[in-house]
Amino acid sequence: MKATRIIPILRIFDYQKAVEFYVGWLGFKIVWEHYFEENAPVYMEVEKGDIVFHLSEHHGDGTPGTRVMIWGEGISEYRSELIEKKYKYNRPGLEKTFYGAVSFTVNDPFGNTIIFNEEYVEEKHKDLEFSSIH
């Protein structure tokens, strides 16, 4: 089997808070939104580059407290962009992990955790300042 796309479904409880966090702060864009009927919960897709999430207000779609690990490049630069936005609910520190990554973690308003990782390369990352592990 070869996976061509993996899309986590994350439970949300408030459309405006989800848009503030995922679009306003993390820089995702809304691809589509679906409502089964008027005054129904939203089910939506957001993306940033190759990262795709489905966000759902529907009971039973996902569980609050889900953790998603994302591997990519430019993690420290992306973290710097987020810090510059001064989002009052998240100020993630940069860490060098035990599993050989440069990493930072964000927590969405609904209890979900997203961990952004990049393979640690000594020559490329030697001058980064890392937060202490907590």
Side-chain angles (χ1 to χ4, degrees):
M1 184 203 126
K2 177 184 175 189
T4 59
R5 204 163 191 210
I6 299 166
I7 303 174
I9 302 170
L10 301 177
R11 181 78 155 91
I12 63 171
F13 302 104
D14 181 297
Y15 175 86
Q16 293 300 330
K17 277 298 209 191
V19 170
E20 175 187 347
F21 180 82
Y22 285 97
V23 177
W25 188 52
L26 290 183
F28 283 70
K29 69 176 184 175
I30 298 171
V31 179
W32 51 261
E33 297 177 0
H34 177 74
Y35 299 86
F36 286 99
E37 59 188 43
E38 190 175 325
N39 198 34
V42 69
Y43 188 94
M44 62 195 291
E45 181 175 286
V46 296
E47 72 177 13
K48 179 172 178 57
D50 292 333
I51 305 167
V52 177
F53 292 137
H54 283 189
L55 306 178
S56 179
E57 288 181 314
H58 291 269
H59 177 75
D61 280 356
T63 303
T66 296
R67 297 174 66 87
V68 177
M69 291 188 82
I70 297 171
W71 286 85
E73 296 178 3
I75 296 300
S76 64
E77 295 84 1
Y78 180 46
R79 179 199 160 267
S80 294
E81 289 174 27
L82 296 179
I83 294 296
E84 288 174 15
K85 291 182 180 181
K86 299 189 185 315
Y87 182 64
K88 69 181 183 177
Y89 301 110
N90 271 259
R91 300 242 171 87
L94 194 63
E95 297 182 29
K96 181 179 175 190
T97 69
F98 69 91
Y99 51 87
V102 173
S103 178
F104 73 90
T105 301
V106 299
N107 300 294
D108 83 2
F110 317 104
N112 300 302
T113 301
I114 305 167
I115 307 159
F116 294 92
N117 297 281
E118 177 176 348
E119 182 180 351
Y120 179 82
V121 176
E122 180 68 30
E123 186 58 35
K124 181 178 180 181
H125 298 115
K126 66 182 176 190
D127 295 327
L128 292 177
E129 289 188 32
F130 296 106
S131 303
S132 59
I133 296 175
H134 46 281

